[in-house]
Amino acid sequence: MTTRSMRRIRMAAVVAALAAGGAVAVAQSDSFDRLYAPIQPPKQIDLGKVELGKKLYFDPRLSKSGFISCNSCHNLSMGGTDNISTSIGDRWQKGPINAPTVLNSSLNLAQFWDGRAADLKEQAGGPIANPGEMAFTHTLAVDVLQSIPAYAREFKLIYGKDKIDIDMVTDAIAEFEKTLVTPNSRFDQYLLGNKQALTKDELAGYKLFNESGCVACHNGPNLGGNSFQKMGVVAPYKSASPGVEGRSAVTGKEIDRFTFKVPALRNVELTYPYFHDGAVWSLSEAVDVMGRLQLGKKFTPEENAQLVAFLKTLTGEQPVFQLPILPPSTEKTPRPRPFD
Amino acid sequence: MTTRSMRRIRMAAVVAALAAGGAVAVAQSDSFDRLYAPIQPPKQIDLGKVELGKKLYFDPRLSKSGFISCNSCHNLSMGGTDNISTSIGDRWQKGPINAPTVLNSSLNLAQFWDGRAADLKEQAGGPIANPGEMAFTHTLAVDVLQSIPAYAREFKLIYGKDKIDIDMVTDAIAEFEKTLVTPNSRFDQYLLGNKQALTKDELAGYKLFNESGCVACHNGPNLGGNSFQKMGVVAPYKSASPGVEGRSAVTGKEIDRFTFKVPALRNVELTYPYFHDGAVWSLSEAVDVMGRLQLGKKFTPEENAQLVAFLKTLTGEQPVFQLPILPPSTEKTPRPRPFD
C-alpha cells in the first residue's frame, strides 16, 4: 500500500468516525475547519463536587508517602503535565510512560495512552493504587479522608452518606477535571470567525496540517484524543520505552501493538516532552518525526516552522483558580509512610 | 537548681529579650497579653516581586529533577509544611530534619532550625543547591530561568537588568514569602479586644500556657521563632535524628548543642508532625513532651486538653491566591534530569 492510499483510508475513517461521534459535521472538500471545533466552557457541572475534587486533586495524602498528589504529575501550573519524559512515582520510581495532560482530557474517547480507562472517573482511581505511582490502596485513601472531619462533612453534604467510598472520591476528582478546559486559543478565535487571529505563517501551517494529513488523526475539538492509531505507520518508531506496547495490552490483539490513543494537540506548546515515551523535547522535532513515521513525508525547514507556528496557536486560556487549602489530619488519620 | 528557679530565670531572660528586640513592651504581672501581638498584614511589599516570586516558589525547574519546588516541602495547601517527619529530597533522599512552616516565617529572628540563614532571602538559596533537597546549582537555576523569555522579561521589568542572577531569584521568592502571613486567628481577635473570641477551655489553656512557662520561649507575634533554646532542658530529648545537633553546627560552641530556633506556634494545628525530628504527631503528645522536658511539669489530662484547645486558636486565615501559571521551557532550557 502506498502512503497516499493509506492516507486516503485514514481520512475516510476519520470522517466516518467524526460523523458517528457527532462531534462535527462531515467535512467539505473546500473547508477543513469543520473537522475541528472550539473548546467549549464546561456544562452541567456540579460545583460542590468541583470544589471537593479540587482539594482531592491537590491532596498528597492520597499517596502512601503523603508526598505525591494528582497535581504532582498533572501539574496545573505546567499545562497539566510534569514536563518530564516519564513520571516519578513513589520512592522515585521511573514510570514507563509520559504523563498525558489533564487539560481538556474530558474530551478524549478514553483515558491513559492505551485507553484502558473508559472515562476520567475510572482513570482517577488508577494512579492512587498503582505501586509505581502513588502506591496507596483505595481502602487506605478512603480511611485517610474519613478520618478528617472537614472532608467527612463535605462528602456527606455532596453525596448524602456518612461513609466515604472510592467511587465518591474518583467522581469528585473527575468533576473537577471536567472544568480543566482551555478555551479561547487563537485557533478557537479563528474557528469562531476572527480570520485575523492567525498570522500568515500560522495559516500556512494550518493549511499544511490539513493537506499533509496531520488532520487524519489530530481532529475534533481536542485535535486528537478521539481515536487509537499505530505509532510508526510508514516506518517503525524507535521507542525509548520499547516494553510499552500500547493498546494491545488492553485488547490482547496483535493488531493493536504499538497503537496508542492519539495525543490531543491543544496546549502542545506546554506539554513537552512529546510522544508516549517523552523522548522528544522540541515541537520542531516532534513534527519532523510525525511527518516521516506517520505520513512518509519530510517537511522542509520552512514547512516545519509553519506547522510549529500553527501548533502554538492551540494554547488556550489556562484554568485559573485559588490554590485549595486542605483540612488537617487528625490523630486518627493513617500517617504517611514515605520511607517504609 | 529547681525547676521553679529555672523558670524564673528563663522568664526574666524573655522579658529582657523582648524589651531589647522592641517587639512588645515589658510584661506587667497582671497581664501576659503584652507578650504577644496579632499577626499584621505585610507592609512595604513590592507586588511585582511577589508575583514573580510566587511563580518561582511553585516552579520545579529550580530543582535538578524538575519535580521538586519550594512548595513541595513548604506546601501552601498544608500549612506551609509537608506534614512528613523529615522531608523527601532529590531521588527520594530522606532529609535529616522536619520542614518548618513558611507561614509567618518573615517574623523569625533567623531561618532554618539552626538559624544558619539570616533571613528569607538567604534561606531561599539553600534548598536549591542542597544535594539532598533540590540538588541543583544556582548557576543552572539561573540558566533555566534565563532561557525562558517570559521569565527573562519579568526579571528585566522588576530588576532592570538583562541578565538574571541568583540574588534576584532569592529576593523575589523572599518577597512572596513575606506575604505568607496568617492574620485574624481567634487568638488575634482576642488580643485585639474581642474577649469572647476564646471559649472558657481555650482561655484556661491560655492561662496555663502563660503561668506554666510555655510563654518563656513561645512569645512575640509568632509565639516563638524569636530565640534559640535547648531542646531538653530538664530531661534529655531522645531524638529520632540524633545526628542533628542544632545551633552548635553554626556557632561551633558546645553550649549550643541541641539548641534550636524555637518553633513558632502559629497554625500549629496544621504543621504536624512536631519538633525538629518530626517524631511527634499529635498536639497532645507534643504538649506533654514539652511540659516534661522543658518545664519539668506533667500536665494533667485536663490541663493538656486546655492547652491543646488554646493552641488551636492560633490557626489564622491561610494565604489565598491563584495557582500561578508558569511560562513554558524552550529548546534552550536545560532539561530536567530526574534519573541521572
Side-chain angles (χ1 to χ4, degrees), chain A residues 4 7 26 37 47 49 66 88 128 144 155 196 207 216 221 236 248 266:
Chain A
R4 182 175 295 176
R7 207 177 307 151
V26 175
L47 282 185
K49 290 183 181 179
I88 294 168
I128 294 172
V144 164
F155 273 98
Q196 311 305 314
K207 190 161 182 283
S248 57
R266 291 281 181 183

Short mmCIF file of all heavy atoms in Angstrom, two decimals, chain A residues 4 7 26 37 47 49 66 88 128 144 155 196 207 216 221 236 248 266:
data_model
loop_
_atom_site.label_atom_id
_atom_site.label_comp_id
_atom_site.label_asym_id
_atom_site.label_seq_id
_atom_site.Cartn_x
_atom_site.Cartn_y
_atom_site.Cartn_z
N ARG A 4 0.12 7.32 0.05
CA ARG A 4 -1.03 8.13 -0.36
C ARG A 4 -2.35 7.37 -0.12
O ARG A 4 -3.31 7.94 0.41
CB ARG A 4 -0.89 8.54 -1.84
CG ARG A 4 -2.05 9.43 -2.30
CD ARG A 4 -1.87 9.95 -3.70
NE ARG A 4 -0.72 10.85 -3.78
CZ ARG A 4 -0.31 11.38 -4.94
NH1 ARG A 4 -0.93 11.09 -6.09
NH2 ARG A 4 0.72 12.17 -4.97
N ARG A 7 -3.20 7.19 3.43
CA ARG A 7 -3.70 8.46 3.92
C ARG A 7 -5.18 8.62 3.58
O ARG A 7 -5.97 9.07 4.39
CB ARG A 7 -2.88 9.61 3.30
CG ARG A 7 -2.83 10.85 4.17
CD ARG A 7 -1.96 11.91 3.53
NE ARG A 7 -0.65 11.38 3.21
CZ ARG A 7 0.10 11.83 2.21
NH1 ARG A 7 -0.35 12.79 1.41
NH2 ARG A 7 1.29 11.31 1.98
N VAL A 26 -19.76 16.35 8.63
CA VAL A 26 -18.83 15.76 7.66
C VAL A 26 -18.11 16.89 6.93
O VAL A 26 -18.69 17.93 6.61
CB VAL A 26 -19.61 14.89 6.66
CG1 VAL A 26 -18.69 14.38 5.57
CG2 VAL A 26 -20.27 13.73 7.39
N ALA A 37 -13.33 21.98 16.29
CA ALA A 37 -14.37 22.74 16.99
C ALA A 37 -13.71 23.49 18.13
O ALA A 37 -12.73 23.00 18.71
CB ALA A 37 -15.45 21.81 17.54
N LEU A 47 -20.88 22.16 41.16
CA LEU A 47 -19.80 22.96 41.76
C LEU A 47 -19.36 22.45 43.13
O LEU A 47 -18.21 22.63 43.52
CB LEU A 47 -20.21 24.43 41.85
CG LEU A 47 -20.13 25.21 40.54
CD1 LEU A 47 -20.45 26.68 40.78
CD2 LEU A 47 -18.74 25.09 39.91
N LYS A 49 -19.08 19.27 43.90
CA LYS A 49 -18.11 18.22 43.57
C LYS A 49 -16.80 18.82 43.07
O LYS A 49 -15.72 18.31 43.36
CB LYS A 49 -18.69 17.29 42.50
CG LYS A 49 -19.83 16.41 42.99
CD LYS A 49 -20.29 15.46 41.88
CE LYS A 49 -21.44 14.59 42.35
NZ LYS A 49 -21.91 13.68 41.27
N GLY A 66 2.44 10.41 51.25
CA GLY A 66 1.97 11.72 51.66
C GLY A 66 2.66 12.84 50.88
O GLY A 66 2.58 14.01 51.27
N ILE A 88 7.76 10.46 37.83
CA ILE A 88 8.39 9.98 39.07
C ILE A 88 7.28 9.46 39.97
O ILE A 88 6.31 10.16 40.24
CB ILE A 88 9.15 11.14 39.75
CG1 ILE A 88 10.32 11.58 38.87
CG2 ILE A 88 9.61 10.73 41.14
CD1 ILE A 88 10.95 12.89 39.31
N ILE A 128 -3.71 6.21 42.15
CA ILE A 128 -3.72 6.08 43.61
C ILE A 128 -3.23 4.70 44.03
O ILE A 128 -2.41 4.55 44.94
CB ILE A 128 -5.15 6.34 44.17
CG1 ILE A 128 -5.57 7.79 43.93
CG2 ILE A 128 -5.24 5.98 45.65
CD1 ILE A 128 -7.03 8.09 44.27
N VAL A 144 -8.07 7.61 55.15
CA VAL A 144 -7.48 8.92 55.41
C VAL A 144 -8.55 10.00 55.36
O VAL A 144 -8.69 10.81 56.29
CB VAL A 144 -6.35 9.23 54.39
CG1 VAL A 144 -6.00 10.72 54.40
CG2 VAL A 144 -5.12 8.39 54.69
N PHE A 155 -18.07 15.40 52.08
CA PHE A 155 -18.59 14.24 51.33
C PHE A 155 -20.07 14.01 51.68
O PHE A 155 -20.88 13.70 50.80
CB PHE A 155 -17.77 12.98 51.64
CG PHE A 155 -16.56 12.81 50.76
CD1 PHE A 155 -15.30 13.21 51.20
CD2 PHE A 155 -16.66 12.26 49.49
CE1 PHE A 155 -14.18 13.05 50.40
CE2 PHE A 155 -15.55 12.10 48.68
CZ PHE A 155 -14.29 12.50 49.14
N GLN A 196 -8.53 37.05 11.33
CA GLN A 196 -7.27 37.77 11.57
C GLN A 196 -6.52 37.19 12.77
O GLN A 196 -5.43 37.66 13.08
CB GLN A 196 -7.55 39.25 11.87
CG GLN A 196 -8.48 39.93 10.89
CD GLN A 196 -8.00 39.79 9.46
OE1 GLN A 196 -6.83 40.00 9.18
NE2 GLN A 196 -8.89 39.42 8.55
N LYS A 207 -2.88 25.16 6.90
CA LYS A 207 -3.16 24.57 5.58
C LYS A 207 -2.34 23.28 5.41
O LYS A 207 -2.86 22.23 5.01
CB LYS A 207 -2.81 25.61 4.51
CG LYS A 207 -3.25 25.29 3.10
CD LYS A 207 -3.25 26.59 2.25
CE LYS A 207 -3.75 26.32 0.82
NZ LYS A 207 -2.72 25.68 0.00
N ALA A 216 -5.76 13.83 9.77
CA ALA A 216 -6.35 12.49 9.74
C ALA A 216 -6.49 11.92 11.14
O ALA A 216 -7.48 11.24 11.45
CB ALA A 216 -5.50 11.57 8.86
N PRO A 221 -12.50 18.63 18.50
CA PRO A 221 -12.24 19.82 19.33
C PRO A 221 -10.88 19.78 20.02
O PRO A 221 -10.29 20.82 20.27
CB PRO A 221 -13.38 19.79 20.37
CG PRO A 221 -13.98 18.43 20.29
CD PRO A 221 -13.73 17.91 18.91
N PRO A 236 9.04 2.29 11.45
CA PRO A 236 8.88 1.99 12.88
C PRO A 236 9.45 3.10 13.76
O PRO A 236 10.43 3.75 13.38
CB PRO A 236 9.65 0.69 13.07
CG PRO A 236 10.62 0.63 11.94
CD PRO A 236 9.99 1.37 10.79
N SER A 248 -2.62 -2.94 22.65
CA SER A 248 -2.71 -4.41 22.65
C SER A 248 -2.72 -4.96 24.07
O SER A 248 -3.27 -6.03 24.33
CB SER A 248 -1.54 -5.03 21.86
OG SER A 248 -0.31 -4.61 22.39
N ARG A 266 -4.06 20.28 21.74
CA ARG A 266 -4.35 21.50 22.50
C ARG A 266 -3.22 21.76 23.50
O ARG A 266 -2.78 20.82 24.19
CB ARG A 266 -5.66 21.35 23.26
CG ARG A 266 -6.87 21.30 22.36
CD ARG A 266 -7.25 22.70 21.90
NE ARG A 266 -8.44 22.67 21.04
CZ ARG A 266 -8.92 23.76 20.46
NH1 ARG A 266 -8.34 24.94 20.64
NH2 ARG A 266 -9.98 23.68 19.68
#
